Amino acid sequence: MSATNPHPSAPENRPSPQRHFILGTAGHIDHGKTTLVRALTGADTDRLPEEKRRGMTIELGFAQLVCDDHVFGIVDVPGHERFVRTMVAGATGIDVALLIVAADDSVMPQTIEHVEILDLLGITRGVVAVTKCDLVEPDLVEFVTAEVQELLADTGLKHAPIVPVSGVTGAGLDELRIHLRAAAAHADRRRRGPFRMPVDRVFNVAGRGVVVTGSVIAGDASRGDAVDIWPAGDAARIREVQTHGQSADDVHAGQRAAVNLQGIDKQAIDRGCELAAAGVFAPTRLIDAHLHCLRSHRQAIKNHARLRLCIGTREVLARCVTLETDGLALGESGLVQLRCYEPVVGAYGQRFIVRDENAARTAGGGVVLRAAQRRISSRMTAEVAGLHTTHTGGDRARLAEVIRYHGLDTPAGPRLALAAGVDVEDLPELLDGLRQDGALVELPGVDQPLSAEFIRAFQARALRWLERYHALHPDEPGCLAESFTGWLERKTSRTVARAVTQRLLDADEIKNLGRYVCLKAFAPNLSAQDERVMQQILDACHAGAFQPPAMDHLLRTTGASRARVDKLLKVAVSTGQLVRVDAAILLHADREAEMRRRLTDLYAAEGPFTLSRMREVLDTSRKYAVPLAEYLDKIGFTQRSGDQRAVSSEDEC
Ligand SMILES: Nc1nc2c(ncn2[C@@H]2O[C@H](COP(=O)(O)OP(=O)(O)O)[C@@H](O)[C@H]2O)c(=O)[nH]1
Ligand SMILES: [Mg+2]
């Protein structure tokens, strides 16, 4: 519990820039929080008439404490058990805690509950002030100190120094300031990233419009900046900013801020809204998280229990779906999905509190792992494993998981960094690392990185689909290529569908059979020589156009046996690469389509045509024209009347 500076060699002679921190009070009612803030700053944070009359804090109060280059924005919270929700809203953005315990009362219920809340919010920097030391003997102070040490032993505040003070006589205040400064020096909470300010007050200022106040928990904002107001998503612009009554050009994380907004009505905002950098966040009703159930809570958190989620300054009802166990026993932690009844904004790493549905008790708290896009349950083991990676993995593993989770809609830039909980400047290097690991794939025409695991899973799904198709249509050579890519396209996009088909072909997982695709295992068993002969046959048929080669010709050009050519012709007909016109004539599929196109054009230009006109248009001889015409009659493409033929209807072309 050392409060000394671990970096004594830091240059002392240069004037260092001011550093800003949010300091939050905590502790049982009447233990002297408000009095101590007044003694430290001169400001009375109980400003409401009702607070004055009842001598107790009801609303959050604000003051500023300057200790050399350290500037603390103080949030003074109520200690009454009925106002724990307000306490949580105040504690949400704090860097340093000031826990107050009265020497004449020692540890009381809200001392314990507030410490639990600070611990659940991940606050590890703090100082304990044992107040009202003017009222008690020194050995009682020692006794209280021991009780406080015991209370903090298992918490993030176990190293917090304990300072005896009096808010009335001012004893111990200098020492308290020194310890606060030291605690702040070690404050290491993440504050980078886009601007975020959960709103704790809203009011109108005559002639200026709406002003909102809050603790800036990340990033910075300047006059003129565009902001979104969540969860509604209204857009507004910052007209002016102040911090502790002073106009400022900008505000930073760790500062209390009053922001005058332009373009929004007071009715559209209240405590619980959040001001955020424009275009970065999106509200969600699903929060995937790691949740801890307090050992002191009176009951376990059941699977599907209804809880109140306190996140930022907002409180919403949520159903808690446990993902690793059936509920969370007292003192147990685990992965959960919080299904909120109203939208909220949350980002990776953000701490939150859950309270009983009737809001009487703090049940636990945890950390947001992702603003989720889909429901998950304990049965979806792959999704739960991914979430586990998000919870325990390093930056690179977390980034890979975010990219996998988002599939084809991976966010980019600041939104990607935010979701993965990494600094946006570190993104290029992390992405390069993932590329080297083979965790990312680039698809032609797709500019965002895609997760190799996601593409693998998607390809496996496509293969399963094709397998089912084969099972349902055992007599077909495969699935029509356009149906297959059509299915892929409905699940993804045209570019991705094409790229994925190509990957499956390249990997030899599927084969192209003329107009069909089939699983490799389902493809007719062709040897390399068969493939070569097949290509020669197809080339010869294509070249022959409407006077296709006869068997003799095929045997001569391929040099293959009659049995082999017969077998390959059958395969080519079954896969639609060749079209059988009659026992002796096979047309290349492209030529067959071309024939119908030419005759459609002819019919459009000249109406019904004779066999000899058809022969001219197809540039063939009577020997072929007769069977071709009969074939076309047979498939219903043409209708014969005397020696004239009409093309039946455009639909059939
Ligand atoms: N003697 C003495 N009285 C104190 C001290 N701090 C607070 N009080 C008194 O305790 C009562 C409650 O103080 P307050 O600051 O409102 O407590 P809070 O509810 O924790 O904010 C008030 O009557 C204060 O005057 C102290 O250090 N010494
Ligand atoms: Mg008070």
Side-chain angles (χ1 to χ4, degrees):
M1 60 167 260
S2 160
T4 52
N5 186 349
H7 307 295
S9 60
E12 296 283 304
N13 43 1
R14 241 189 300 136
S16 43
Q18 285 191 329
R19 297 184 65 201
H20 297 272
F21 305 91
I22 307 285
L23 176 76
T25 62
H28 199 75
I29 185 164
D30 268 351
H31 277 202
K33 296 180 289 298
T34 303
T35 305
L36 186 58
V37 169
R38 190 167 50 229
L40 284 168
T41 67
D44 187 358
T45 56
D46 279 352
R47 47 188 208 294
L48 300 179
E50 188 187 353
E51 291 180 317
K52 296 254 181 266
R53 199 178 66 242
R54 294 169 66 180
M56 76 186 237
T57 308
I58 296 168
E59 259 307 329
L60 297 173
F62 307 100
Q64 189 181 33
L65 171 65
V66 182
C67 299
D68 306 325
D69 53 347
H70 286 52
V71 181
F72 294 97
I74 301 184
V75 180
D76 182 31
V77 305
H80 194 283
E81 65 171 324
R82 277 189 31 225
F83 303 129
V84 172
R85 178 186 160 187
T86 308
M87 182 272 170
V88 174
T92 191
I94 71 179
D95 304 295
V96 181
L98 176 56
L99 175 66
I100 284 128
V101 185
D104 60 348
D105 217 12
S106 196
V107 171
M108 293 295 281
Q110 268 62 56
T111 320
I112 300 171
E113 187 168 16
H114 285 193
V115 165
E116 286 172 340
I117 289 169
L118 294 174
D119 196 38
L120 291 168
L121 290 175
I123 291 152
T124 57
R125 302 296 155 194
V127 180
V128 184
V130 176
T131 53
K132 309 199 186 181
C133 285
D134 55 302
L135 297 181
V136 300
E137 297 300 319
D139 51 349
L140 193 56
V141 174
E142 264 173 51
F143 168 78
V144 171
T145 302
E147 280 212 335
V148 170
Q149 269 165 348
E150 198 188 318
L151 172 67
L152 297 182
D154 290 332
T155 74
L157 287 171
K158 56 177 166 285
H159 298 305
I162 301 173
V163 189
V165 300
S166 166
V168 170
T169 68
L173 294 192
D174 286 341
E175 203 192 340
L176 183 62
R177 282 193 191 90
I178 291 168
H179 283 298
L180 285 173
R181 203 173 172 281
H186 302 161
D188 52 3
R189 285 159 65 79
R190 291 186 70 86
R191 295 155 146 208
R192 300 175 68 156
F195 174 70
R196 296 184 72 182
M197 188 185 96
V199 170
D200 48 37
R201 273 192 304 164
V202 185
F203 47 86
N204 260 322
V205 174
R208 299 210 154 261
V210 187
V211 174
V212 296
T213 70
S215 301
V216 182
I217 60 169
D220 40 50
S222 311
R223 210 179 288 150
D225 280 359
V227 285
D228 291 330
I229 297 158
W230 298 111
D234 295 322
R237 197 165 282 283
I238 297 180
R239 187 192 310 220
E240 205 197 335
V241 286
Q242 285 192 354
T243 176
H244 296 286
Q246 304 287 312
S247 266
D249 291 331
D250 39 30
V251 279
H252 312 275
Q255 282 186 308
R256 289 286 312 167
V259 179
N260 180 200
L261 293 172
Q262 202 172 340
I264 188 96
D265 286 340
K266 179 168 179 281
Q267 293 88 299
I269 320 180
D270 52 18
R271 170 179 290 171
C273 287
E274 180 168 320
L275 227 59
V280 181
F281 293 86
T284 177
R285 284 170 192 262
L286 297 173
I287 296 279
D288 290 348
H290 188 258
L291 179 66
H292 176 73
C293 174
L294 282 175
R295 193 176 297 282
S296 63
H297 190 48
R298 60 185 157 195
Q299 63 195 20
I301 296 179
K302 290 205 189 80
N303 191 12
H304 287 276
R306 288 216 303 183
L307 297 166
R308 282 177 194 277
L309 167 66
C310 304
I311 184 164
T313 50
R314 193 165 166 78
E315 184 192 84
V316 297
L317 260 183
R319 205 170 275 289
C320 173
V321 178
T322 52
L323 299 174
E324 294 178 300
T325 47
D326 186 21
L328 289 178
L330 297 181
E332 197 179 19
S333 305
L335 298 174
V336 298
Q337 179 165 73
L338 298 170
R339 299 181 181 164
C340 306
Y341 288 57
E342 291 164 66
V344 294
V345 174
Y348 171 83
Q350 187 174 357
R351 300 284 185 145
F352 62 84
I353 298 293
V354 289
R355 311 202 75 223
D356 270 353
E357 185 183 356
N358 59 13
R361 279 263 187 45
T362 301
V367 59
V368 174
L369 298 176
R370 65 183 162 217
Q373 300 196 321
R374 48 188 181 261
R375 286 181 168 220
I376 56 173
S377 69
S378 57
R379 274 171 298 135
M380 300 159 83
T381 46
E383 291 290 336
V384 176
L387 193 56
H388 193 259
T389 303
T390 309
H391 181 226
T392 57
D395 285 1
R396 204 194 273 193
R398 234 166 33 233
L399 182 61
E401 168 57 17
V402 167
I403 295 173
R404 183 203 68 81
Y405 182 76
H406 286 87
L408 298 166
D409 298 315
T410 305
R415 289 172 56 223
L416 179 58
L418 191 78
V422 302
D423 285 338
V424 72
E425 304 89 76
D426 296 340
L427 264 186
E429 200 183 322
L430 287 165
L431 288 170
D432 273 349
L434 289 177
R435 263 182 215 107
Q436 275 157 28
D437 293 351
L440 298 184
V441 290
E442 321 272 341
L443 294 188
V446 180
D447 43 9
Q448 89 223 32
L450 294 174
S451 146
E453 201 183 321
F454 171 80
I455 293 292
R456 257 198 309 278
F458 183 62
Q459 289 182 177
R461 224 174 121 196
L463 293 176
R464 281 199 301 278
W465 185 85
L466 199 51
E467 199 178 329
R468 269 200 308 281
Y469 189 93
H470 285 317
L472 288 172
H473 309 273
D475 298 334
E476 289 177 25
C479 169
L480 279 173
E482 62 255 34
S483 307
F484 181 65
T485 44
W487 180 84
L488 292 175
E489 217 175 293
R490 280 196 298 283
K491 305 280 162 199
T492 57
S493 67
R494 173 159 298 196
T495 338
V496 173
R498 262 200 223 126
V500 164
T501 308
Q502 197 52 50
R503 280 171 65 89
L504 290 170
L505 286 168
D506 292 347
D508 235 5
E509 300 270 14
I510 61 171
K511 286 187 86 68
N512 249 332
L513 293 174
R515 297 159 57 211
Y516 297 88
V517 289
C518 69
L519 286 177
K520 181 159 189 279
F522 199 82
N525 213 349
L526 297 189
S527 66
Q529 199 192 349
D530 283 339
E531 299 268 14
R532 218 169 31 247
V533 174
M534 176 70 107
Q535 201 52 55
Q536 287 173 328
I537 293 174
L538 293 175
D539 289 348
C541 288
H542 195 270
F546 305 108
Q547 308 191 44
M551 180 56 97
D552 283 355
H553 179 87
L554 291 179
L555 290 175
R556 251 195 334 276
T557 41
T558 62
S561 70
R562 186 172 181 116
R564 188 188 292 270
V565 173
D566 265 344
K567 172 181 115 179
L568 293 176
L569 288 178
K570 262 199 205 107
V571 170
V573 170
S574 79
T575 58
Q577 288 160 291
L578 295 180
V579 178
R580 182 164 293 288
V581 171
D582 71 3
I585 301 175
L586 289 165
L587 273 190
H588 193 283
D590 293 351
R591 294 302 194 188
E592 197 265 356
E594 185 185 337
M595 167 170 74
R596 288 189 282 153
R597 230 176 10 251
R598 284 198 199 177
L599 295 179
T600 305
D601 291 348
L602 172 68
Y603 182 65
E606 300 176 7
F609 47 84
T610 61
L611 190 66
S612 82
R613 187 77 188 102
M614 177 178 149
R615 190 172 53 72
E616 278 164 24
V617 166
L618 296 179
D619 191 19
T620 184
S621 67
R622 209 183 147 74
K623 173 180 163 201
Y624 294 100
V626 173
L628 287 175
E630 283 169 358
Y631 160 78
L632 291 170
D633 291 342
K634 195 175 80 199
I635 64 166
F637 178 78
T638 45
Q639 240 170 0
R640 186 176 168 183
S641 157
D643 60 354
Q644 300 273 345
R645 281 185 167 81
V647 171
S648 290
S649 95
E650 297 210 345
D651 302 347
E652 289 169 53
C653 298

